[in-house]
Amino acid sequence: MIPSGVEVFVGVEPIDLRWGFDRLSGVVADRIGRDARSGALFVFFGRRREAMKVLFFDGSGLCLFYKRLDAGTFRVPEPRAGKNGAVVEIEEGALEDLLDGID
């Protein structure tokens, strides 16, 4: 369950899903311009979009959630015109749909 009111940022450029906490925290700082310990959720996809990682801070440390689909691919949200093209901010309900494989 995703907490209500949490900020959710989706990196639209694919990453190497072998990356761990430190590398993903650097991506959050460099591409998104946020601190990984800000309380927001940061979503990343692999090149084939069959898997995703979500980086978040739970108050005592960084956590990584990893999901790989049995079939199909995740639909990466489109960046909005005039915004940072490397990241899209979505609502927590949209993240739940994304995790469930719903367009």
Side-chain angles (χ1 to χ4, degrees):
M1 177 174 214
I2 299 166
S4 178
V6 70
E7 293 178 300
V8 181
F9 297 96
V10 179
V12 296
E13 297 174 7
I15 62 156
D16 185 336
L17 289 174
R18 296 175 291 183
W19 294 351
F21 296 100
D22 296 330
R23 187 79 181 258
L24 290 176
S25 294
V27 171
V28 168
D30 293 343
R31 293 186 192 174
I32 300 174
R34 300 292 301 255
D35 179 11
R37 290 174 172 80
S38 67
L41 301 177
F42 302 96
V43 181
F44 301 98
F45 296 93
R47 181 177 42 84
R48 294 180 301 208
R49 295 180 301 136
E50 296 172 342
M52 71 162 42
K53 279 190 173 181
V54 180
L55 179 71
F56 61 97
F57 183 70
D58 72 351
S60 63
L62 288 171
C63 302
L64 266 179
F65 172 81
Y66 183 86
K67 182 170 184 174
R68 183 182 69 196
L69 295 175
D70 287 336
T73 59
F74 288 108
R75 186 174 180 277
V76 179
E78 295 291 326
R80 294 179 184 95
K83 298 282 187 174
N84 177 357
V87 64
V88 174
E89 186 172 359
I90 62 173
E91 300 292 325
E92 62 268 11
L95 177 58
E96 288 183 12
D97 291 345
L98 186 63
L99 289 168
D100 290 337
I102 300 170
D103 281 342

